[in-house]
Amino acid sequence: MLRVLAVDDEVPALEELAHLLRHDPRIEHVSTAPGGITALQDMVQMIGAGERLDGVFLDIRMPGLGGLDLARLIGAFPNPPRLVFVTAHEDCAIQAFDLEAVDYLLKPVRADRLAEAVRRLESMTPAASGPVPEDVIPVELGGRTRFVPQQAVRFAEAQGDYVRLHTADGTFLVRMSLAALERRWAGSGFIRVHRSTLVSIRHVSELRFDGGRVTLQVGSETLPVSRRHTPQVRAQLIRDRQLQGRPLSSGAIR
């Protein structure tokens, strides 16, 4: 089933579109946004929360950020949702289809045309059982949004209500708890090594025991492992290296 976002600055038109979509049995969830800027903010939050978004039904003429400009921004997203334009204007169809729109509906929207658009959207949406796209974290950088892929993150550390992501390209601060990030990336090769640190196993080059002190080498960083987490960390690293067919050395895992 599909999860979609409806975008229109005219409240009656937005409510009618959302009403029709919610009565389609192929639609699982409908979110709404009263304009392009709000829609963009909502989509960034959805990505940050790991929510799936299959399609966006959007108007074209909207103040602040129009539908075509919003569509171009959406196209830069990792794994962008499909687009269906819903508008009172016929003159933008060519531009819309240049942006790979699934359909182009004219207002007032007829239920049968909307149903056909949903059918097209469904046919172009990968089945839930297919490969899961790599997770990304959206990071706000001076008016820009950068998407940090999960595999690029070497480790994450808690900083109050934020988490700092460490990558080879630098560090990025996101508003999220470390516990939430740990749950989100459970089963993806990340392990808690300290109450304030979450580490990607794939980026660990060495585990050292030195006079009762346990540390991990992650890139150029040496990270402490708490006594509480040491047994789990050591067992996880051993399993990981065994699966890779890499031998273990005495006193350290390299």
Side-chain angles (χ1 to χ4, degrees), residues 33-104:
I37 294 175
T38 302
L40 183 61
Q41 293 170 340
D42 289 350
M43 280 186 277
V44 168
Q45 289 181 358
M46 288 178 188
I47 293 173
E51 297 179 19
R52 191 182 86 248
L53 182 63
D54 301 305
V56 181
F57 290 75
L58 69 162
D59 191 14
I60 286 183
R61 304 282 169 82
M62 295 183 291
L65 182 63
L68 294 173
D69 289 332
L70 174 59
R72 294 184 184 97
L73 292 172
I74 292 173
F77 283 19
N79 309 300
R82 299 286 182 175
L83 304 173
V84 176
F85 287 93
V86 184
T87 177
H89 305 278
E90 300 181 8
D91 57 336
C92 296
I94 293 177
Q95 292 172 273
F97 286 113
D98 282 344
L99 292 168
E100 301 183 355
V102 172
D103 210 337
Y104 191 91

